[in-house]
Amino acid sequence: MDTGAAIAGLGITDVGKVYGRSARSFAAEAVRLAADDAGLGLADLDGLLVSAGITGGIGIDLAQDLGLTDLRLLTQMNAFGATAGAMVAHAAMAVMSGTASAVACVFADAPLRPGTSAGAAYGGRGGSAGEWHGLQGYAAAAGMRSVNAMYAMAARRHMETYGTTSEQFGAVAVGQRAWAAGNPRAQMREPITLEDHQASRWVAEPLHLLDCCLVSNGGVAVIVTSAERAAGLARPPAHVWGWGQGHPGQRMTRGSAFGLRTGAVTSGASAFKMAGITAADVDVCEIYDCYTYTVVITLEDYGFCAKGEGGAFAASGALGPGGSLPTNTGGGQLSGFYMWGFTPLAEAVIQARGEGGERQADRHDVVLASGNGGILAHHATLILSPHVKGS
Amino acid sequence: MHSGPVRRDDRSAGFFDGAARGELMLRRCPSCSAWYGPDARGCPDCPGTEPGWAASAGTGTLVSWVVAHGRPGPDGATPEPDVAGLVELAEGPWMTAAVEAPAAELRAGLPLRARFERPSEGEPYPVFVGS
């Protein structure tokens, strides 16, 4: 009986302000760690999927760095923050079709340099020599100087339309920081209060500093194989029950749902249907959190609360430790580390295995991991479980 | 806007030529007459057509906005923040543009009209103000 695919190995390098190493070095180490975690040798891998971050520091020549030979699947993928989910889905399809039998999926990036700010590392539009070019230059001169500003524009629309407040965004930040206290890998583990959130400087109003994700150096990899094979390997499998993608392609014109609805609507529905579940069956959520606002709108679009009520849902305490829907249990990208979609994916695997230590959610039969890329333009969803699909 | 001069490039020449005349220029498909924002590269409904420039009425409403707070300068003074707005023009397209309005008056749906700033250096550009 075909019981689908599973994640059999997870590798996470040192992450955060880790200097003096290249993205290639992080990527190679992450793959080695993931294979070792699964109880596999590198020679057992016959597939490799590569995702580079903002610096573009890795590509398919990673296979050579690792000495991988006779691969049956090798490619680089990019749907920005939605890449991790898309990679695992691609790897699962490869395994289920017989294209490959053990596929490593890896992300690595190293944008941080000693003495430079996270914002500078992520390339805010500074306008060289104080000049601005073309229509993008005009928009930047007007105030749209970074990705932060574009998300701020989306967040403000949500606030204007549904009455969402900055304090409700703050509840997401406070809850995730509380989770991060239980994650030894988290970059930010000191507790914060709503007052701290409100007092943190504006990055791009309405987004405070504590609404924004970290920037990290490091690498993460997972090994995808068949559920049958995973059962005989070293670690408890995280079975891949379902996946989906959503790319709304919204036109910026009258009637656009920009800032109000994301690809999570389509992506979530596809993943839930494939997994044979509904939102009510999800025990743990690992939601892509480039910003607190992204968590709010994504939870709405998945149907964990009604449209427009994501802010109130967060403010109710539902997402933090002890809440009804444990969300971003490792601190997410706001407080844990920023490895694009591999941050939620890695924590989803840890939670599905029941290896979260003091941050482990009591119930973890169904774990959701999301990815979001561009300015809410790309979305991917994975449903993971410690149980074989259909069991 | 508190930043340096805005310079034209090939794709924005028609926009800044219009601004010099006091006209807000948008893109318009010559085939289906659909309006697009000034940075549109083509009409997805009419492959192969090259959207031209057409003058907008220069009026619209505020969809959303960002307040860009500056960092303190060498003299310790923090500059007045810039407001970038997402403006829905009467013709339908959205564009990102400079907005000048008191922060307390900013709201979705605020009626706006374009006026044109003519700095001593760089291209003239639209600024949307309450109408």
Side-chain angles (χ1 to χ4, degrees):
Chain A
M1 177 187 158
D2 182 7
T3 50
I7 295 172
L10 170 65
I12 308 175
T13 70
D14 286 344
V15 286
K17 293 179 177 175
V18 185
Y19 301 126
R21 293 186 59 186
S22 66
R24 285 177 81 140
S25 155
F26 284 121
E29 185 193 349
V31 173
R32 289 177 191 280
L33 289 169
D36 192 54
D37 184 58
L40 293 170
L42 287 184
D44 295 318
L45 301 179
D46 59 0
L48 177 65
L49 303 178
V50 179
S51 167
I54 191 81
T55 63
I58 59 173
I60 57 174
D61 50 2
L62 180 66
Q64 285 174 304
D65 293 6
L66 288 162
L68 300 176
T69 54
D70 296 322
L71 293 179
R72 297 195 290 159
L73 177 68
L74 173 63
T75 197
Q76 183 166 353
M77 294 177 63
N78 187 12
F80 303 118
T83 313
M87 289 169 96
V88 170
H90 191 61
M93 288 187 274
V95 164
M96 293 164 74
S97 67
T99 305
S101 64
V103 181
C105 306
V106 62
F107 171 92
D109 204 3
L112 285 177
R113 295 282 178 273
T116 56
S117 71
Y122 239 71
R125 288 183 202 143
S128 60
E131 291 194 1
W132 309 87
H133 291 271
L135 285 155
Q136 257 204 333
Y138 165 64
M144 301 301 288
R145 287 168 206 148
S146 63
V147 169
N148 296 323
M150 291 186 260
Y151 270 90
M153 193 74 94
R156 175 63 76 188
R157 187 160 197 235
H158 198 277
M159 297 167 85
E160 284 292 295
T161 304
Y162 301 119
T164 312
T165 67
S166 172
E167 289 80 0
Q168 291 172 339
F169 292 149
V172 175
V174 171
Q176 291 192 203
R177 184 61 65 87
W179 280 120
N183 182 2
R185 285 195 180 89
Q187 287 175 235
M188 308 293 275
R189 300 180 65 191
E190 283 293 307
I192 55 169
T193 64
L194 199 52
E195 290 70 33
D196 295 330
H197 171 270
Q198 290 292 297
S200 67
R201 71 174 171 85
W202 293 119
V203 167
E205 188 183 345
L207 298 178
H208 288 277
L209 181 65
L210 290 177
D211 287 307
C212 304
C213 66
L214 303 161
V215 174
S216 310
N217 293 351
V220 182
V222 296
I223 309 294
V224 177
T225 188
S226 69
E228 190 177 24
R229 186 172 184 195
L233 293 178
R235 303 301 294 277
H239 295 273
V240 184
W241 279 13
W243 56 77
Q245 293 186 33
H247 309 268
Q250 283 161 351
R251 293 187 187 184
M252 296 299 269
T253 188
R254 181 175 292 139
S256 170
F258 171 77
L260 306 180
R261 195 174 67 239
T262 73
V265 174
T266 303
S267 181
S270 298
F272 290 163
K273 184 180 179 192
M274 191 185 299
I277 63 164
T278 68
D281 296 315
V282 174
D283 297 314
V284 183
C285 273
E286 307 298 343
I287 302 291
Y288 194 97
D289 56 335
C290 43
Y291 302 90
T292 53
Y293 151 74
T294 316
V295 176
V296 166
I297 190 169
T298 303
L299 289 169
E300 292 174 359
D301 286 344
Y302 279 144
F304 290 106
C305 60
K307 177 48 69 182
E309 292 179 6
F313 187 49
S316 75
L319 311 181
S324 59
L325 186 67
T327 295
N328 294 352
T329 49
Q333 304 189 98
L334 298 174
S335 289
F337 53 82
Y338 181 67
M339 289 282 113
W340 284 18
F342 277 75
T343 296
L345 172 61
E347 182 67 13
V349 172
I350 289 168
Q351 290 288 327
R353 287 175 168 180
E355 294 179 346
E358 60 181 283
R359 71 182 191 278
Q360 177 63 45
D362 295 336
R363 292 173 48 104
H364 53 95
D365 294 321
V366 181
V367 183
L368 180 153
S370 84
N372 161 74
I375 312 303
L376 305 167
H378 310 290
H379 200 96
T381 312
L382 292 173
I383 307 294
L384 305 181
S385 172
H387 311 296
V388 173
K389 187 177 178 182
S391 65
Chain B
M1 305 210 307
H2 299 87
S3 46
V6 178
R7 305 292 185 193
R8 68 174 56 202
D9 56 16
D10 288 348
R11 288 191 56 237
S12 60
F15 180 81
F16 291 115
D17 284 344
R21 299 189 302 267
E23 290 183 323
L24 183 76
M25 303 305 287
L26 298 177
R27 295 283 193 173
R28 196 165 194 193
C29 177
S31 176
C32 72
S33 299
W35 291 89
Y36 293 99
D39 57 350
R41 288 180 181 272
C43 175
D45 299 328
C46 302
T49 58
E50 185 73 21
W53 292 101
S56 154
T59 60
T61 56
L62 189 62
V63 174
S64 188
W65 69 95
V66 176
V67 183
H69 295 266
R71 301 286 186 95
D75 59 355
T78 304
E80 280 293 302
D82 290 326
V83 177
L86 195 55
V87 179
E88 180 171 304
L89 296 158
E91 293 81 5
W94 292 0
M95 73 173 289
T96 306
V99 172
E100 273 181 18
E105 292 179 13
L106 294 169
R107 61 175 173 83
L110 181 71
L112 298 169
R113 63 177 172 79
R115 65 169 181 74
F116 292 86
E117 198 74 32
R118 291 181 168 76
S120 54
E121 205 190 342
E123 298 290 343
Y125 56 82
V127 174
F128 282 85
V129 296
S131 65

